[in-house]
Amino acid sequence: MPAVLGADLEVPVKGGRLVGYANLDYAASAPCLEPVSAAVTAALPAYSSVHRGAGYASQLTTARYEQARHTVRAFVGARPDDAVIFTRNTTDATNLLARCLPAGTTTVVFDTEHHASLLPWEKSVRLAPPAFPGEAVRAADAALAGIDGPKLLVVTAASNVTGELWPIAALAHVAHRHGARILVDAAQLVPHRRLNLTALDLDYVAFSGHKLYAPFGAGVLVGRRDWLADGEPYLKGGGAVRSVGDDTEWHDDPEPRHEAGTPNVLGAIALAAACDALTATGWTALVREEERLIARLRSGLASIEGVRELSLWGDDHPRVGIVSFTVAGYSAREVAEVLSGEYGIGVRDGKFCAHPFVRHLLGEADGGCEDGTASAVRASIGIGSTQEHVDRLVEAVRDLVNR
Ligand SMILES: Cc1ncc(COP(=O)(O)O)c(C=O)c1O
């Protein structure tokens, strides 16, 4: 496994002691991989302007930036003619696509989505959380059948709340049967599983570098060129134009058309280095270790009275390294503060930018969340997570419950 920066970080806990930080908040932002940091450090001495300069350093920086595009293309198994557009993050990527949809496009989206995939659409049909994966396919089928004109199905590959994997191949099939396209929000999938856009027959995927061990502010939208080539330039300015006179002639190629201004070249280099590092590590080893740790975490939490894991499709449904849970008698914020302040454990609490979904998951068991305070604790793991971190979390929650 590649090393992560900060693995030896020590943090203060109650009483002033220092303990090793147990970072269990990878789903929010994953730590930086050592090879990512090395790639950025290696690029810095020649860091210069991109796409503009004749100087050697400019040419080198431009070549590295464009190489990053190729790396990302290969990482997601994109078709040779797919566009690869660097953005700020997943939210930026979904908003970019939203601006490029043909006039009158209807988007079909589940209420289980992260806000980045739920909110950018001008005209959308919202579907209730499906009771089982086949129901997701059936509901999308019915919704798409009732829509005329251009349509787009938007779905997250792995939930940022429950970690559960969605049936994206079946959903792509249904979308295409109705002449629709599909956008997959892969923000929580790509750090954990291999994605092959071509094999899955996806039209677009979006993800963020900072969740993929590349905390340098870049994301990406990959997919079919035509809508992106026809869409209004996302940002208007230098780089997006061929010439400016009485008329402005915009680039037709989606990459320059939507990447006006100086791009985040170090972010792109970092993102590509993370893709390379994950590929070099090998998915089999990554998945095996993650599944071992997440199984240990889930069974540990399940053994504590009053702890309830949030799940849409049940205990046995496949998932990535994300577990959200509640602790009876404590608010999620109280749990997260105790974990941090007394045990040096970092988790997330709240509704994880997926308000309708978390409300749905909590509402069923907790009699609703009318007071607006209902929320959950989320623990998430990845490269660099250890058995000690997982065990520390389980024992900390057990101690809290037994107080
Ligand atoms: C599934 C999913 N989609 C989109 C996003 C948004 O990512 P970003 O904040 O990098 O735009 C997140 C982040 O939490 C996420 O988990």
Side-chain angles (χ1 to χ4, degrees), residues 269-334:
I269 288 170
L271 182 49
C275 295
D276 280 340
L278 294 189
T279 305
T281 305
W283 291 104
T284 310
L286 283 169
V287 172
R288 194 188 309 120
E289 178 60 1
E290 178 180 306
E291 290 197 329
R292 185 181 77 79
L293 289 178
I294 208 71
R296 191 174 175 96
L297 176 55
R298 293 179 69 212
S299 67
L301 290 173
S303 71
I304 305 170
E305 211 180 316
V307 172
R308 184 172 75 87
E309 183 185 340
L310 303 189
S311 168
L312 183 61
W313 291 332
D315 285 350
D316 296 333
H317 189 77
R319 64 196 70 215
V320 297
I322 296 175
V323 178
S324 293
F325 59 95
T326 55
V327 181
Y330 293 92
S331 73
R333 176 43 59 97
E334 284 167 338

Side-chain angles (χ1 to χ4, degrees), residues 27 89-92 114 116-117 156 158 160 185 187-188 208 210-211:
N89 46 41
T90 309
T91 307
D92 204 29
H114 187 282
S117 293
T156 291
N160 69 309
D185 174 345
Q188 299 294 354
S208 302
H210 71 101
K211 295 183 193 292

Side-chain angles (χ1 to χ4, degrees), residues 73-78 157 165 168 186 188-200 202 212 275 278-279 282-284 286-287 290 320:
R73 179 191 301 288
F75 180 70
V76 297
L165 296 170
I168 51 175
Q188 299 294 354
L189 184 78
V190 289
H192 303 281
R193 297 285 188 282
R194 181 160 176 261
L195 174 71
N196 190 304
L197 181 151
T198 305
L200 291 164
L202 309 179
L212 191 72
C275 295
L278 294 189
T279 305
W283 291 104
T284 310
L286 283 169
V287 172
E290 178 180 306
V320 297

Side-chain angles (χ1 to χ4, degrees), residues 136-138 140-141 144-145 153 155 167-184 197-203 224:
V137 179
R138 194 209 56 75
D141 192 4
L144 290 165
L153 176 64
V155 68
I168 51 175
L171 288 166
H173 183 71
V174 158
H176 295 149
R177 195 146 49 75
H178 291 290
R181 291 188 179 183
I182 183 168
L183 161 65
V184 166
L197 181 151
T198 305
L200 291 164
D201 200 15
L202 309 179
D203 299 294
R224 300 200 184 275

